[in-house]
Amino acid sequence: MIENFFYAINVVFQWQNIILIIVGTAVGMVFGALPGLTVTLAVTLVLPFTFDLPPESGIILLTGVYCAGTYAGSISAILINTPGTPSSAATAWDGYPLTRKGRSFEALSVALHASVLGGLISAVALIFFAPMLAKTALAFGPVERFALTFFGLTIISRVGGKSLSKGFISALFGLLIASVGVDPIMGVPRFSFNTFYLYGGVGMIEVFIGIFAIAEIFNQIGKRVETGIIATDGTQMKTIRWKEIIPHYWTVIKSSVIGIVIGVIPGTGGSIASFIAYDEAKRSSKEPEKFGKGSLEGIAASESANNGVTAATLIPTLTLGIPGNTVAAIFLGALLIHGLTPGPQLFVNQGGLMYTIMISFILANIVMYFQGRFALKWFDKIINIPAAILLPIILTMCLLGAFTISNSLNSVIVALIFGCVGYAMIKFEYPTAPMVIAIILGPMVEESMRQSLILSDGSVMIFLTRPISLVFFVLTVFVTLSPVVIRHWRQRSISAVSQHQKTTDENLKGKK
Amino acid sequence: MPSVTRILRRNISSITTLLIGVFVFASIPGQIAVFDSGDMNPVTARTLPYMITSAIIVISLIMIVSDVVETFRSGADHSATEQKETTRYWRVFLAAAAIALWIILLPYLGFNITTILLVASIMIIIGNCRWWQIALLSLILSVPINYLLGIVLRVYLPSGSLFG
């Protein structure tokens, strides 16, 4: 462990990697700050440019983009009341009122410090808990792996959108897309439609570019794009200071822990964490009435929670191979492209790389802090770049990124097709995360299922006779059925209350 | 009483997933060959695709039936009360067509010319920009990017068969 740790420090502090992390955080900050552009889009766009880099450097670049992108959503949330990323929505509730009061720099200062602290605490959690979980996961055989991936997919479908059915459909289509290409056990081509390109399966990165980037560009083009207007500020303070965050240190620690716990659960993410942390901070605050009207404590809670998710979401990704959210799924894709299969074995075979990822999270947060301090004065200009300028630039990057994957137009065609699919999914409110994660997990699901059935001579009872697998299947059934049961129970209680109200009204009328 | 057309329109996504599911299910025997492996492997290459497509069909049917039942039970047409979103689909269609045209013309006209055309057309579709912005951005995103990719990443973009 110690040698891996020192190897990681040696790699992360190489000058090329420091430059990459600076570039990554700058890109992430710009994308995160621009309303409508997400951190997922930023990571997707950068991904094709990591192919020629060593795996460590590629991951370091992505880490910078991820951390800074998550933080920078707070900038537009505070300055123009438009969260740059969905996880900064709660920040806007208190950030924008402060901007209107001429206290934008105080709000930005708290957001930056809370984000950095949340990110650092999350990175420490990753360093401590990931190896422990990986050790436990080493005992998993194909039966347990299948049960775990199946559970992961179910929970991601369950929390990925408004409708459980739509989440399932999305995940199922992801599994179907993953089954294109040569079958992993028998080597039989599937759904190739006599096309040589499809023998290798549908490219993961092309799908990412299509679903996350091109679909979002279509969405922005179709919408009436409104540019944000910065409230007149007139603030006296123009520097970022630590003292703003000191009164809220307990809120930051508590919210970061909430972020870590939420981040470890697959399918959840920064948005859920920031809302829960905000709610908890309001509940335990001495000044709850200030929340929603310009509370620095609210900003500290929301920002430390959503950055607390960043490294924590990689705990199940790296140890179990189950991505916690879409960005983690892209990280997983990046590892797979470099020939590394995420899971507990990765800690045994590639311990140095694992610790490089962990240490890079710490460095990314430190770099983000200094860049944030330096760049804040420029963000009012960046967030007002018109869509007519911004979207063609991103589109060109998407097309170039897709082209560079295989140096052929086939990848661009696949990206365009998935761009159209992704746009239709946005319009019909199908969550995209289950599909993307299912595409990544698909081969693992199939391989472990078939290996298990070979072991049991085709009997599905093998999944119910192993204790770990049984626990995961019970959890899967619970996760699937619980919303239906809760909805039914709520409907019954509502009808019982209305029936009771009706009877009481009738009795009162009878007395009169 | 809600009309059939409105019910169909409301369930268009579920109907589409149902049709795709049925199509893929029917195409499995033609698309996936099965080799006899004796008792060694009880699950074939077709098993998972059959399971997935069956699940897609069943869930799509459940979505359609539950929506129809709910509509008739409540007696109201929800679509009438749904808020209309102001999406300009023609813009999206034109943008997708511009990208498709870029893919078709790229091998003939090369990266520089096709990208100038693509960027200019996307900017015109979005609107709210001046002619000099269009000219400047089109040029910046074509020739310098092409040059940089070649130098830094050694990715050589097509120069166009029409220009040798």
Side-chain angles (χ1 to χ4, degrees):
Chain A
M1 182 189 157
I2 293 294
E3 63 272 26
N4 288 332
F5 188 77
F6 284 114
Y7 167 83
I9 288 180
N10 189 29
V11 169
V12 171
F13 287 95
Q14 281 174 3
W15 68 268
Q16 311 92 300
N17 291 336
I18 290 176
I19 289 174
L20 282 174
I21 220 157
I22 291 170
V23 171
T25 44
V27 171
M29 224 173 259
V30 170
F31 272 77
L34 288 163
L37 306 186
T38 58
V39 63
T40 313
L41 173 65
V43 176
T44 310
L45 276 184
V46 169
L47 184 59
F49 299 100
T50 64
F51 293 165
D52 291 334
L53 298 171
E56 289 90 351
S57 304
I59 295 289
I60 284 172
L61 179 64
L62 294 176
T63 307
V65 178
Y66 180 29
C67 291
T70 309
Y71 146 68
S74 66
I75 297 166
S76 52
I78 291 167
L79 292 178
I80 58 171
N81 201 23
T82 310
T85 52
S87 58
S88 296
T91 309
W93 296 343
D94 287 297
Y96 191 63
L98 282 169
T99 298
R100 296 189 71 167
K101 288 174 190 166
R103 293 170 62 196
S104 65
F105 260 70
E106 267 177 80
L108 290 169
S109 183
V110 167
L112 177 62
H113 289 115
S115 299
V116 170
L117 289 171
L120 288 173
I121 294 170
S122 185
V124 171
L126 176 66
I127 290 171
F128 278 100
F129 294 117
M132 278 157 62
L133 190 59
K135 258 185 201 168
T136 316
L138 271 173
F140 284 17
V143 180
E144 289 80 13
R145 271 207 311 275
F146 174 70
L148 174 70
T149 43
F150 194 73
F151 171 66
L153 273 178
T154 312
I155 198 167
I156 289 156
S157 311
R158 157 91 173 75
V159 296
K162 289 176 190 170
S163 157
L164 178 66
S165 319
K166 285 182 175 178
F168 278 138
I169 289 277
S170 178
L172 286 165
F173 270 101
L175 286 175
L176 198 59
I177 293 162
S179 71
V180 174
V182 176
D183 154 53
I185 306 275
M186 300 294 289
V188 182
R190 298 189 294 196
F191 302 116
S192 61
F193 294 93
N194 294 327
T195 318
F196 182 70
Y197 176 78
L198 289 176
Y199 268 61
V202 179
M204 209 182 290
I205 311 301
E206 294 92 313
V207 176
F208 290 167
I209 292 175
I211 284 189
F212 293 132
I214 296 179
E216 191 51 47
I217 291 167
F218 285 160
N219 193 30
Q220 298 283 331
I221 288 174
K223 274 198 291 196
R224 183 189 290 273
V225 181
E226 287 173 17
T227 51
I229 298 157
I230 297 177
T232 46
D233 196 317
T235 176
Q236 296 299 309
M237 190 185 126
K238 291 283 181 196
T239 50
I240 300 293
R241 296 183 298 195
W242 269 106
K243 75 168 198 182
E244 311 296 342
I245 197 73
I246 291 168
H248 312 297
Y249 76 96
W250 179 238
T251 306
V252 169
I253 294 170
K254 201 167 58 175
S255 306
S256 303
V257 172
I258 291 173
I260 291 164
V261 173
I262 301 284
V264 171
I265 303 166
T268 55
S271 311
I272 298 170
S274 64
F275 286 121
I276 292 176
Y278 184 87
D279 202 45
E280 171 53 27
K282 188 179 176 182
R283 191 193 61 78
S284 59
S285 173
K286 286 173 188 163
E287 298 169 315
E289 70 284 351
K290 277 192 178 175
F291 278 70
K293 292 169 191 160
S295 163
L296 289 172
E297 199 178 352
I299 296 172
S302 155
E303 282 307 303
S304 48
N306 69 33
N307 280 272
V309 167
T310 49
T313 198
L314 289 190
I315 295 175
T317 311
L318 298 177
T319 55
L320 307 172
I322 308 286
N325 60 17
T326 45
V327 180
I330 299 169
F331 266 80
L332 206 64
L335 289 173
L336 290 169
I337 284 158
H338 285 288
L340 305 162
T341 310
Q345 286 297 335
L346 207 55
F347 276 81
V348 178
N349 304 327
Q350 297 283 339
L353 174 68
M354 290 297 99
Y355 279 92
T356 305
I357 296 172
M358 296 171 193
I359 303 291
S360 68
F361 265 92
I362 293 179
L363 186 65
N365 278 286
I366 295 166
V367 170
M368 186 178 94
Y369 173 69
F370 289 105
Q371 275 194 1
R373 281 184 71 116
F374 175 75
L376 273 176
K377 287 161 194 160
W378 304 95
F379 271 112
D380 56 342
K381 290 176 181 68
I382 292 172
I383 56 180
N384 276 329
I385 296 174
I389 306 281
L390 202 64
L391 295 179
I393 297 173
I394 298 165
L395 179 63
T396 311
M397 293 300 134
C398 289
L399 299 176
L400 280 174
F403 186 86
T404 52
I405 296 165
S406 59
N407 265 352
S408 84
L409 283 169
N410 287 329
S411 304
V412 187
I413 294 167
V414 172
L416 177 62
I417 291 168
F418 277 94
C420 297
V421 171
Y423 181 65
M425 289 176 80
I426 292 171
K427 286 287 133 193
F428 289 110
E429 295 180 333
Y430 280 80
T432 49
M435 179 188 267
V436 170
I437 292 171
I439 290 173
I440 293 169
L441 293 182
M444 208 192 298
V445 170
E446 183 169 15
E447 218 173 300
S448 52
M449 182 189 85
R450 289 171 71 174
Q451 282 172 351
S452 309
L453 290 174
I454 289 169
L455 283 173
S456 69
D457 287 329
S459 166
V460 289
M461 287 310 286
I462 192 169
F463 298 115
L464 305 176
T465 48
R466 303 268 183 110
I468 298 174
S469 151
L470 182 65
V471 167
F472 280 121
F473 276 108
V474 169
L475 283 171
T476 307
V477 172
F478 175 75
V479 163
T480 313
L481 295 182
S482 60
V484 181
V485 174
I486 290 168
R487 198 172 56 196
H488 183 70
W489 179 74
R490 269 191 192 156
Q491 274 174 353
R492 276 190 66 179
S493 54
I494 288 167
S495 62
V497 168
S498 58
Q499 185 64 40
H500 177 74
Q501 188 72 38
K502 207 176 164 185
T503 323
T504 319
D505 288 348
E506 278 172 6
N507 287 345
L508 281 170
K509 271 183 189 172
K511 277 182 185 174
K512 278 178 187 175
Chain B
M1 190 78 172
S3 69
V4 178
T5 326
R6 281 200 172 154
I7 289 173
L8 283 176
R9 201 183 291 166
R10 275 232 324 263
N11 288 295
I12 188 92
S13 64
S14 306
I15 293 167
T16 310
T17 55
L18 175 69
L19 292 176
I20 294 172
V22 170
F23 169 75
V24 179
F25 187 93
S27 71
I28 288 171
Q31 285 298 320
I32 306 169
V34 175
F35 299 103
D36 187 22
S37 58
D39 292 337
M40 282 290 288
N41 194 350
V43 188
T44 67
R46 288 179 183 174
T47 310
L48 192 71
Y50 269 131
M51 284 165 70
I52 297 166
T53 45
S54 308
I56 290 172
I57 293 167
V58 170
I59 295 174
S60 303
L61 276 172
I62 290 171
M63 282 167 77
I64 295 166
V65 171
S66 63
D67 186 78
V68 171
V69 168
E70 205 172 308
T71 308
F72 277 95
R73 193 184 285 170
S74 62
D77 193 353
H78 296 298
S79 64
T81 55
E82 275 170 13
Q83 205 179 1
K84 292 272 176 192
E85 202 182 35
T86 51
T87 304
R88 298 172 179 184
Y89 289 106
W90 61 270
R91 276 182 173 185
V92 180
F93 176 76
L94 285 178
I99 300 170
L101 212 60
W102 181 85
I103 295 169
I104 294 165
L105 294 177
L106 189 69
Y108 306 106
L109 298 179
F111 178 78
N112 291 340
I113 294 176
T114 48
T115 305
I116 288 172
L117 293 173
L118 175 73
V119 173
S121 52
I122 294 289
M123 288 180 83
I124 291 166
I125 291 166
I126 297 169
N128 292 331
C129 47
R130 300 194 178 122
W131 68 267
W132 61 265
Q133 287 176 325
I134 297 174
L136 196 67
L137 197 67
S138 308
L139 280 173
I140 289 170
L141 290 175
S142 54
V143 184
I145 293 274
N146 191 359
Y147 183 73
L148 266 174
L149 276 179
I151 296 284
V152 180
L153 292 177
R154 308 272 166 107
V155 173
Y156 300 102
L157 299 163
S159 53
S161 60
L162 288 180
F163 304 103

